[in-house]
Amino acid sequence: MGKVKLYDLSQPLNQEVSFWPFYPPFEVKYIKRKAEHGVNAQYIMTSNHMGTHLDAPRHFITGGKTIDQIPLDWLYGPGVIVDLSDMLDELDIFTPEMIEQRVEVREGDILFIHTGWHRYAQFGEEPDEEKYLLRHPGPHPSIVDWLIAKKIKIWGVDMVSTDHPMNLPIGRFLGRGGLEQWKKVRTICERKFGDKLAELFPEEHYQLTHNALFPHDCIHVENLGGEIGRKELHNRRLTLGVFPWLFKGGEAAFCRVVAFVEEA
């Protein structure tokens, strides 16, 4: 076996990172300092749904698995990072067919989708909070049956959500009475998709990839980043690992995500 090179696919996380609308931000402060107490110690308060994190079924299902109940063999194994970044612009839709044009996805794979959107995150190359949170691409509804048929347990995206903004508060009611951000997003989508808007984003598809996939124990990582844009990782077989802390009862957890590539 040759030498294995590790690639970090995680975004940095601190108090500067954008947080999901209506959720509390990441807060951190020192509660002990070296000069006064002989030690540095910090206290943090945060939601689970910011930075690179893994959603467990419990996030949407009352009796669903919690983070500590996810089998380890779901979290490490063979998979692919498919690169769709050259095919996707603001609020675009990607399909299983687009994924399969680029790479073979096998049953039980860990699947990560590189849209390129991580570059608009707080510590990305082109930070733009509104573009990152409000105008990211998303999947076609057919992704649900395809992922289930492929028996995929873990998939992930380099975006704030696995759902299209039109299937989230972002495109339905976010900012109502304030900046009316939902109306701006809907207007762009009306221009982009025309009379297909209701067909692509029906009312019952609200938070589709969460509601439809979690009952099948198909869960996901959101806010991937780090070295996920490296071309040598794309559209090829490799080993992927998703490592949350052993959060008993957790409906989600921050995680470190790693690609393992065997070098010649």
Side-chain angles (χ1 to χ4, degrees):
M1 184 175 178
K3 183 180 178 182
V4 175
K5 185 172 182 179
L6 277 62
Y7 294 83
D8 195 335
L9 310 181
S10 317
Q11 291 188 22
L13 174 59
N14 69 3
Q15 72 282 356
E16 295 181 37
V17 170
S18 302
F19 50 92
W20 185 252
F22 302 128
Y23 279 46
F26 185 99
E27 298 180 58
V28 58
K29 62 183 178 181
Y30 279 95
I31 54 172
K32 289 189 175 183
R33 295 303 294 255
K34 177 68 174 173
E36 184 177 358
H37 305 101
V39 63
N40 285 319
Q42 294 172 315
Y43 170 88
I44 63 172
M45 183 165 63
T46 180
S47 82
N48 291 323
H49 297 276
M50 57 192 305
T52 305
H53 67 277
L54 175 67
D55 284 352
R58 180 63 63 88
H59 184 33
F60 270 69
I61 301 171
T62 302
K65 286 183 177 64
T66 52
I67 288 292
D68 57 301
Q69 295 170 332
I70 296 171
L72 276 175
D73 59 5
W74 292 11
L75 301 173
Y76 175 87
V80 293
I81 301 172
V82 60
D83 180 24
L84 302 181
S85 60
D86 61 321
M87 306 170 75
L88 298 173
D89 201 349
E90 292 188 2
L91 297 164
D92 275 347
I93 291 174
F94 57 85
T95 65
E97 292 75 20
M98 292 165 66
I99 295 170
E100 291 181 320
Q101 285 172 14
R102 294 287 171 90
V103 70
E104 177 193 8
V105 180
R106 300 176 186 172
E107 280 194 2
D109 271 348
I110 295 174
L111 169 65
F112 294 154
I113 300 171
H114 173 245
T115 69
W117 231 251
H118 60 97
R119 66 182 181 271
Y120 305 119
Q122 183 66 41
F123 298 112
E125 297 171 6
E126 305 172 53
D128 184 332
E129 184 170 83
E130 287 183 296
K131 190 178 181 85
Y132 186 70
L133 289 180
L134 306 179
R135 302 194 297 275
H136 58 83
H140 187 273
S142 59
I143 197 88
V144 170
D145 289 341
W146 181 78
L147 287 168
I148 293 171
K150 288 285 184 181
K151 299 180 181 177
I152 287 172
K153 293 299 186 185
I154 303 280
W155 68 297
V157 296
D158 61 336
M159 305 180 293
V160 70
S161 177
T162 53
D163 275 310
H164 191 281
M166 283 300 294
N167 286 333
L168 293 167
I170 289 165
R172 302 210 181 191
F173 55 79
L174 176 65
R176 190 167 280 171
L179 293 175
E180 304 289 314
Q181 300 282 26
W182 69 278
K183 193 178 295 184
K184 298 174 187 177
V185 171
R186 185 176 185 89
T187 298
I188 297 171
C189 285
E190 285 172 345
R191 290 199 299 265
K192 182 180 287 284
F193 301 113
D195 58 7
K196 291 185 178 180
L197 196 65
E199 174 189 339
L200 289 170
F201 310 108
E203 286 298 316
E204 61 270 23
H205 283 184
Y206 181 65
Q207 298 201 331
L208 176 67
T209 60
H210 296 71
N211 281 310
L213 288 172
F214 285 6
H216 297 275
D217 284 337
C218 178
I219 58 180
H220 56 242
V221 182
E222 293 169 324
N223 294 317
L224 289 167
E227 298 179 280
I228 197 171
R230 298 282 290 265
K231 294 299 181 186
E232 63 265 34
L233 300 178
H234 297 161
N235 308 329
R236 55 168 294 189
R237 304 297 303 171
L238 35 69
T239 301
L240 297 169
V242 177
F243 305 112
W245 53 294
L246 192 60
F247 186 6
K248 190 167 182 62
E251 49 84 24
F254 304 134
C255 59
R256 197 73 174 264
V257 181
V258 180
F260 302 83
V261 178
E262 188 173 346
E263 297 183 315

